[in-house]
Amino acid sequence: MDTPPSTPLTSRPAAGRARSGRGNELLRRLDAALGPALLRLLGRVRRPRPRPPVPQRIGIMKTTGIGDMVLASAVVRDVQDAYPQASIVLLAGPGNAAVARLIDGVTVIAVPTARPLAVIPRIRAARLDMLLDLGQWTRLEALYAAVSGAAWTAGFRTPGFDRHFAYDASVPHSDQVSELENFAAVSRAAGATPRARPAFSPGEASAEPPVPDPYVIFHLWPGGFRSELREWPANRWRELIDRVLAAGYHVVLSGGPDDVERTRRFMAARPVDGVVSIAGEHSFPELLAVLARARCVVSVNTGLMHLAAAVGAPTIALNGPTSAARWGPVGERVVCVDSELPGCGFLNLGFEYDGRRTDCMSGIAVERVAEATLREAHA
């Protein structure tokens, strides 16, 4: 039976989503209970320091989010341009370190975000002159910056989160601009001139085309906290598949290792010739090559959407609770299809679901997505 329009495709158990990253309830509670007081204390015992004029080692920290790391690649390039003599150290978490390694000219240090006490010595061992914290709301990342040993630190002053007290420089985090613009404000505080946009090259990595050309990629599965509320209904994906196949394209379903089984179930529910799955089959460098060859990529708002746009693929982004203005993809050929239901597009930092409607993705009609997909694929 087809999934009702207001029902997500399939949901992973809530406990599984909450074990790490932004959905870890225990870390969130500790962060809120202890973080502000510790940061206020650290801010009182030292005065802001001047920014080093010629830093030799610059750290950029973004420990959560594949899409966030894609956006952070622009910060890396701007800082490299501003300080060509410096070595850039990119501090990533387990979930986005592989994407961080796609960025040229950086040393990547993966930190164990589920074990905060193990993070500090790894950062201190980097011996940084400057550290830019791109964390938007967690106090833990601000605490890491405060005890990093870096000679100068900068990060966000996010309303309601009391995380900015111990930085040497802080900039406002705004819910009225794109996250790339927020990241640019941190770059500017560090003495860089923000110009870059997220951009990746397929490089030398190659993967056999999953199907003959031409093909369109569909990415059904969002990640992160309460991801089921950003899934588009299964019956609408199937109708879109039928329309794209009828137009002469093959369809490729993408996904990560955790998406293999549910992609298999989606395909088994109604087998269709011309549709294949590549879920869990490629490394990120190989995936870039597959994305770059696609005539179009249609994705819910998640990390792969940002990767597709950054590698230059025509990208259709489906936005329900996500705001296209805040979290839309950045690229030369991107189209955002937003929910037509009132009260949607409310997500700012990624967890503001309480008291909000849960059916936003049902406000995205197949006709609108199909029109945008075929227009971009034919271009």
Side-chain angles (χ1 to χ4, degrees):
M1 180 181 294
D2 279 345
T3 308
S6 62
T7 304
L9 293 168
T10 179
S11 298
R12 289 169 283 184
R17 289 195 304 274
R19 286 185 187 129
S20 63
R22 288 170 283 194
N24 188 311
E25 185 63 26
L26 176 60
L27 283 181
R28 287 177 67 176
R29 289 182 178 181
L30 289 173
D31 187 271
L34 300 178
L38 290 173
L39 288 165
R40 285 178 185 272
L41 178 62
L42 288 168
R44 286 173 182 166
V45 299
R46 74 176 191 194
R47 294 181 178 179
R49 300 161 295 180
R51 191 177 69 218
V54 190
Q56 298 301 309
R57 289 180 65 80
I58 301 174
I60 299 172
M61 179 165 56
K62 190 72 200 71
T63 64
T64 58
I66 288 174
D68 287 17
M69 185 58 76
V70 174
L71 298 179
S73 68
V75 176
V76 171
R77 294 187 178 95
D78 289 331
V79 171
Q80 287 172 329
D81 288 345
Y83 301 103
Q85 80 289 342
S87 299
I88 308 298
V89 178
L90 196 49
L91 299 162
N96 62 8
V99 175
R101 295 187 181 99
L102 299 174
I103 302 172
D104 292 335
V106 301
T107 298
V108 176
I109 298 177
V111 298
T113 52
R115 295 185 292 121
L117 292 180
V119 174
I120 296 169
R122 295 197 186 186
I123 298 177
R124 292 184 67 86
R127 299 184 179 278
L128 302 172
D129 299 315
M130 292 169 51
L131 175 57
L132 312 185
D133 173 20
L134 299 182
Q136 298 98 327
W137 63 269
T138 58
R139 293 81 166 186
L140 268 176
E141 287 170 308
L143 284 166
Y144 296 153
V147 299
S148 64
W152 185 85
T153 62
F156 285 121
R157 185 168 65 255
T158 305
F161 285 89
D162 293 333
R163 65 184 311 276
H164 60 281
F165 301 104
Y167 293 124
D168 295 297
S170 64
V171 299
H173 184 276
S174 173
D175 61 1
Q176 300 299 308
V177 301
S178 72
E179 200 61 1
L180 184 60
E181 290 184 58
N182 279 320
F183 283 2
V186 180
S187 300
R188 198 173 290 111
T193 300
R195 297 190 184 94
R197 292 291 181 266
F200 292 103
S201 168
E204 298 180 359
S206 63
E208 287 296 318
V211 290
D213 187 63
Y215 64 85
V216 173
I217 294 177
F218 292 167
H219 189 80
L220 286 60
W221 314 115
F225 183 60
R226 303 208 53 190
S227 59
E228 70 277 8
L229 298 183
R230 288 182 282 121
E231 293 177 5
W232 203 36
N235 58 335
R236 300 193 183 186
W237 279 117
R238 292 186 178 114
E239 185 177 344
L240 182 64
I241 287 172
D242 290 342
R243 295 190 183 202
V244 170
L245 290 173
Y249 296 92
H250 294 89
V251 172
V252 176
L253 304 181
S254 62
D258 292 341
D259 303 323
V260 173
E261 178 56 27
R262 54 184 180 168
T263 304
R264 186 198 65 77
R265 290 197 301 268
F266 174 83
M267 295 178 66
R270 198 192 68 170
V272 179
D273 290 340
V275 181
V276 302
S277 170
I278 60 169
E281 293 185 2
H282 296 300
S283 66
F284 276 109
E286 292 170 340
L287 183 59
L288 287 182
V290 175
L291 291 170
R293 286 194 291 260
R295 297 301 180 96
C296 187
V297 178
V298 184
S299 177
V300 292
N301 196 302
T302 195
L304 181 128
M305 173 201 74
H306 290 286
L307 276 174
V311 82
T315 303
I316 311 297
L318 309 185
N319 292 289
T322 50
S323 164
R326 284 281 293 116
W327 292 107
V330 180
E332 293 297 324
R333 293 180 61 186
V334 301
V335 176
C336 287
V337 182
D338 299 337
S339 178
E340 294 184 315
L341 296 176
C344 294
F346 53 79
L347 285 179
N348 172 32
L349 298 173
F351 47 76
E352 301 90 351
Y353 291 100
D354 290 349
R356 305 284 191 161
R357 65 187 308 158
T358 60
D359 61 346
C360 285
M361 294 301 287
S362 69
I364 301 174
V366 175
E367 290 77 11
R368 297 170 61 211
V369 182
E371 179 185 0
T373 301
L374 296 176
R375 181 180 66 247
E376 292 301 314
H378 287 335

